[in-house]
Amino acid sequence: MSLHRLVSIRVGVPRPDELAGFYGEMGLAVGGDGRVASPDGGDQVIVEEAPYRQLLGVEVGASDERDLDAVAGRFAALGIDSTVDGGTVTAVDPTTQVRVAVAVTAPLVQSPTPVVVDNRPGATVRRNERAAAEFQGARPPRRLGHLVIGTPDIAATQRFLVDGLGCKVSDHADGIISFLRCSTDHHNIALVHSPVPILQHYSWECDDVDHVGHTATKLLRADPERHAWGFGRHFAGSNFYWYLRDPSGAFVELFSDLDQIDDDEAWEARRGPLALEHVANSWGPNLPLEFIAPTDLPELQAAWAAR
């Protein structure tokens, strides 16, 4: 795959200082220019002031200049205008109006995490001591993992991202959700139906389930109303998840143990079908209604119509 990672997202919110404060509580590095950096991914969120919450842009990393030429050619074949400037190809999805940029970017390099050793029935490996996670605490997530875009036309936005940008489809349930990847992650961008374009949620990778738990717990102890959905394990992607609300109204997912796909043929042969009952999770609480119809959807619809 010439594309190799999700680099960053650009979001617009009415009160950027509130969102920046939330990121700071999460342990991420917040700059005065609206940039938010993760330990492994560098600058990964750019926050701008906007009249309503919205996804403004997505940046994806490519390997070299030849990949940019290929992306520009695919967009042209779809009849979509793109611009090439300084090692970056930029195009706008006609359906969501999200600006997508592809730039030559160094691969993501992550330091390995210590192997977690668990006691299990018939397999005692940790003796006469507490689990190491007992002594850990909340810490920043490692990197931005994926985002989910609400779109009025899943097929059209998927065509833009797959046939144009060059993403691959990992899983999909027709007309409900599509999971797309631009790296070895099971998904970097997912698409769900929404009457108007929205940033439905975005996610941050943690080392393991305890990292998820410690960081989510810190945020919830400061404000229990932040809890949205979880704890659980998804079917699509297989990851553990815990969802919170950020101050703008978007959902934030802390996750660990996501499926990795480095052999397309092997994945297609082994993955099995994604049925309707698998869309939400494998186990955990029921999907909240507000994940399908956000509480601020009428406000977003009015803002989109008046833009």
Side-chain angles (χ1 to χ4, degrees):
M1 175 182 284
S2 59
L3 305 179
H4 59 77
R5 69 179 175 112
L6 174 65
V7 176
S8 65
I9 59 175
R10 189 164 57 93
V11 298
V13 296
R15 294 175 294 279
D17 288 348
E18 287 186 4
L19 185 55
F22 177 80
Y23 291 138
E25 286 185 68
M26 197 184 294
L28 299 168
V30 180
D33 58 355
R35 294 181 179 273
V36 180
S38 68
D40 289 354
D43 290 342
Q44 297 216 270
V45 179
I46 299 95
V47 183
E48 299 180 10
E49 187 171 358
Y52 60 97
R53 73 174 179 93
Q54 55 193 285
L55 176 65
L56 301 172
V58 176
E59 183 178 345
V60 172
S63 298
D64 57 47
E65 297 282 348
R66 292 171 298 178
D67 299 324
L68 302 186
D69 293 338
V71 170
R74 290 195 295 267
F75 280 135
L78 292 176
I80 294 172
D81 293 333
S82 65
T83 59
V84 182
D85 181 29
T88 301
V89 175
T90 305
V92 175
D93 174 27
T95 305
T96 62
Q97 294 300 298
V98 173
R99 183 175 297 274
V100 175
V102 186
V104 176
T105 309
L108 180 70
V109 178
Q110 294 186 276
S111 58
T113 58
V115 175
V116 176
V117 179
D118 293 328
N119 283 340
R120 301 184 182 188
T124 300
V125 292
R126 188 186 70 253
R127 300 174 185 275
N128 308 312
E129 61 179 331
R130 298 184 190 276
E134 292 291 310
F135 303 99
Q136 296 171 350
R139 55 194 189 276
R142 297 284 293 265
R143 53 138 182 153
L144 184 69
H146 60 263
L147 67 151
V148 176
I149 301 173
T151 171
D153 190 335
I154 292 178
T157 300
Q158 180 169 315
R159 191 161 50 249
F160 174 85
L161 292 170
V162 174
D163 297 342
L165 182 61
C167 292
K168 297 180 179 180
V169 179
S170 299
D171 273 311
H172 70 96
D174 287 342
I176 300 172
I177 191 167
S178 288
F179 295 92
L180 314 178
R181 66 186 187 275
C182 63
S183 72
T184 58
D185 285 1
H186 174 272
H187 56 286
N188 304 101
I189 302 174
L191 305 175
V192 295
H193 181 265
S194 172
V196 293
I198 61 171
L199 174 58
Q200 196 274 342
H201 83 257
Y202 56 105
S203 77
W204 297 91
E205 183 184 42
C206 296
D207 292 334
D208 51 36
V209 66
D210 289 297
H211 187 180
V212 170
H214 279 300
T215 302
T217 297
K218 174 190 174 182
L219 293 165
L220 292 174
R221 283 179 176 163
D223 182 358
E225 294 301 312
R226 289 170 170 168
H227 175 73
W229 183 30
F231 180 69
R233 187 189 273 275
H234 283 306
F235 184 89
S238 303
N239 54 290
F240 294 112
Y241 68 84
W242 197 335
Y243 289 86
L244 295 84
R245 298 179 187 86
D246 77 17
S248 76
F251 298 109
V252 179
E253 178 188 11
L254 299 174
F255 77 92
S256 67
D257 192 24
L258 183 73
D259 290 340
Q260 295 292 309
I261 304 170
D262 59 9
D263 184 326
D264 295 345
E265 292 184 2
W267 172 255
E268 291 302 317
R270 299 170 185 168
R271 68 183 175 91
L274 179 64
L276 182 60
E277 62 267 26
H278 299 141
V279 168
N281 55 20
S282 175
W283 56 261
N286 289 337
L287 180 71
L289 179 60
E290 62 182 319
F291 261 67
I292 301 170
T295 56
D296 62 349
L297 184 57
E299 174 188 337
L300 298 177
Q301 288 178 287
W304 181 260
R307 77 193 192 286

